[in-house]
Amino acid sequence: MGDEPAKKNDWAISFLGRLCLIGWVCAILYEAFDFLKPVRQLCLLFGPWACAITIVNGLFLFVSRRKVLILVLVLLAIPPGCLFGIVLKNIAIEKKWIEFGDSKADSKVDSQPATVAEPAEETVPRKFTR
């Protein structure tokens, strides 16, 4: 009776819970502090990684341990993960690291020669002064 060890918390649940909390805090701070660039950069540094580690490790641990709380934490990490995915995709498009959109529509527009009307000749010559 007295020889039974005290029940310890599962390390995986606390690990995933903290990572999920980091992801949510970073997502909220990223959206809230639009005027502070260093805070936004730190949130972009830590937030996506926290969400990705939570989702990948959570799925692995859920399969191996079969605890529902792990699945709940994985599901809680998906919304900030999606937010950071959209933000990072928009940054990549803005910096032209990737192309986004219908490439066939762009090639059709570029493949047709543009007809440009020639400018009329000026009747009065311009004088350049220094």
Side-chain angles (χ1 to χ4, degrees):
M1 301 340 126
D3 295 337
E4 295 178 18
K7 188 175 182 180
K8 291 185 178 181
N9 287 339
D10 192 11
W11 66 269
I13 293 174
S14 62
F15 174 69
L16 293 176
R18 288 177 184 147
L19 283 174
C20 186
L21 181 67
I22 290 170
W24 273 99
V25 167
C26 287
I28 291 169
L29 289 177
Y30 181 82
E31 291 296 326
F33 290 106
D34 190 29
F35 53 91
L36 289 175
K37 191 173 182 179
V39 172
R40 289 178 67 119
Q41 289 174 343
L42 283 174
C43 290
L44 276 178
L45 177 65
F46 293 113
W49 286 109
C51 294
I53 292 170
T54 303
I55 293 169
V56 171
N57 286 334
L59 290 175
F60 174 73
L61 289 170
F62 176 69
V63 169
S64 64
R65 296 187 183 203
R66 303 279 185 201
K67 290 192 176 184
V68 179
L69 188 56
I70 293 174
L71 182 63
V72 170
L73 291 172
V74 169
L75 293 176
L76 283 174
I78 290 175
C82 291
L83 170 82
F84 286 122
I86 292 169
V87 167
L88 292 174
K89 181 192 81 165
N90 289 338
I91 290 172
I93 291 171
E94 183 179 304
K95 295 196 182 236
K96 298 188 184 206
W97 293 338
I98 60 172
E99 290 184 22
F100 188 75
D102 190 16
S103 60
K104 292 181 181 179
D106 294 337
S107 63
K108 288 180 183 177
V109 172
D110 292 337
S111 65
Q112 296 175 353
T115 56
V116 178
E118 298 201 15
E121 292 183 23
E122 294 182 11
T123 55
V124 180
R126 292 185 184 177
K127 293 182 181 177
F128 297 101
T129 59
R130 287 191 179 197

